[in-house]
Amino acid sequence: KQRKTVNKTLNKPLLIEQIKTMLHMQDDVNKHLIGDNWREKKHPFYRAIWTESAELMDHIGWKWWKKQESDMKQARLEIVDIWHFGLSCLLQHSPYLHENNDIDSLAQLVANDIEIYTPECPTSDFYKTPEAIQTAIESFVEQVVKARNFHIRSFMHLCSCMDMDMDYIHKLYVGKATLNKFRQDYGYKDGTYQKTWQGLEDNECLYQILENTDYASEDLEQQIYNSLKSRYEADVLN
């Protein structure tokens, strides 16, 4: 079957602002976790991408010797985890940042690439089956490992197979980045953090919080953090 595509129109100014917000947030997260000079340490973020992609494959389900059903909610959260490391790759390797720490110019460049690749993304349901998503994951990982860097084009293709546009990724990213920061503040690195609370994994708690949060709020990150803190402290620390 031929891949079906449509000419999608993007709100380019909004896209640039979303990318800019996420790049700045990821830079802050990495400074919080690694240190202000995190880019100089040259951690292999590409390696984290392909290992996270294996977890994504498990959520889609690929084992023919046992009954499996795709867990798209968890799979989409894995996509956002991959995007965290993808942003880190972009921040780490961009010449804009080596010269003058110009994250805003990098955001423009990334938005330009997304604008170019979006019309090429598949829209037919044929490309949204578990088997097609598995193939898209493998193609993405192949490009990442080959370049030892993030690959925007194959990532956008994979996201399209999973019905995720940049608006959706942005919403989940802000939530997951806030959760990652919260985890570090509450002992994730030294092993004292408890990932299950209120009978749910923290990812599931995050989903519940996001469903009841106004995405247009100017203090979205702080609202999410406060909600996580309230739930965690009530269930784990009391």
Side-chain angles (χ1 to χ4, degrees):
K1 296 183 179 181
Q2 289 292 107
R3 186 177 75 182
K4 297 179 181 179
T5 61
V6 294
N7 293 322
K8 299 178 182 179
T9 58
L10 293 176
N11 183 335
K12 185 69 173 294
L14 175 61
L15 176 62
I16 293 171
E17 286 303 312
Q18 289 173 337
I19 299 296
K20 190 185 301 182
T21 296
M22 290 186 283
L23 284 169
H24 279 288
M25 284 186 70
Q26 191 61 46
D27 189 44
D28 289 342
V29 167
N30 290 350
K31 287 177 179 176
H32 186 75
L33 177 61
I34 304 170
D36 289 346
N37 64 337
W38 69 267
R39 287 196 293 272
E40 298 170 14
K41 296 185 178 181
K42 298 182 180 180
H43 290 307
F45 292 104
Y46 82 94
R47 191 170 294 153
I49 290 173
W50 65 256
T51 55
E52 289 288 343
S53 297
E55 294 184 26
L56 171 60
M57 186 74 83
D58 282 337
H59 290 307
I60 298 302
W62 62 275
K63 297 174 182 176
W64 62 89
W65 61 87
K66 61 186 289 189
K67 179 176 173 57
Q68 288 188 306
E69 294 183 5
S70 297
D71 186 343
M72 293 306 295
K73 183 180 289 187
Q74 289 300 313
R76 291 186 176 108
L77 282 175
E78 288 296 342
I79 283 286
V80 175
D81 285 343
I82 290 167
W83 180 237
H84 278 75
F85 294 118
L87 291 170
S88 295
C89 278
L90 294 169
L91 287 163
Q92 186 180 63
H93 296 292
S94 172
Y96 290 112
L97 301 181
H98 292 300
E99 294 171 4
N100 55 11
N101 202 34
D102 189 357
I103 290 179
D104 291 357
S105 292
L106 175 60
Q108 176 77 53
L109 183 65
V110 174
N112 288 345
D113 285 343
I114 291 174
E115 182 182 37
I116 292 169
Y117 299 144
T118 295
E120 301 178 2
C121 290
T123 58
S124 168
D125 288 344
F126 176 76
Y127 289 91
K128 298 176 183 180
T129 63
E131 293 78 11
I133 295 172
Q134 291 163 11
T135 299
I137 294 170
E138 290 170 339
S139 296
F140 169 63
V141 170
E142 180 183 9
Q143 295 298 328
V144 168
V145 173
K146 184 186 300 183
R148 295 193 172 192
N149 201 352
F150 187 58
H151 194 264
I152 295 176
R153 185 172 189 167
S154 55
F155 179 75
M156 295 306 299
H157 176 96
L158 173 58
C159 289
S160 183
C161 291
M162 296 176 62
D163 282 327
M164 298 177 73
D165 59 15
M166 193 50 63
D167 288 338
Y168 189 73
I169 291 170
H170 174 252
K171 292 174 182 178
L172 286 184
Y173 173 85
V174 174
K176 192 60 187 287
T178 305
L179 175 59
N180 287 342
K181 183 177 180 181
F182 177 83
R183 285 171 170 175
Q184 295 301 324
D185 289 345
Y186 281 79
Y188 195 76
K189 194 169 185 178
D190 62 22
T192 59
Y193 177 77
Q194 293 190 36
K195 199 170 182 179
T196 301
W197 21 295
Q198 296 186 327
L200 301 171
E201 279 202 7
D202 56 5
N203 277 329
E204 296 175 275
C205 290
L206 174 64
Y207 248 115
Q208 291 182 350
I209 289 168
L210 292 177
E211 288 173 354
N212 295 287
T213 303
D214 180 9
Y215 293 123
S217 174
E218 292 183 1
D219 62 342
L220 175 61
E221 184 179 358
Q222 191 60 52
Q223 283 192 38
I224 296 170
Y225 190 97
N226 290 343
S227 296
L228 290 168
K229 179 180 178 181
S230 176
R231 287 191 178 206
Y232 189 80
E233 290 185 350
D235 189 68
V236 176
L237 301 184
N238 289 339

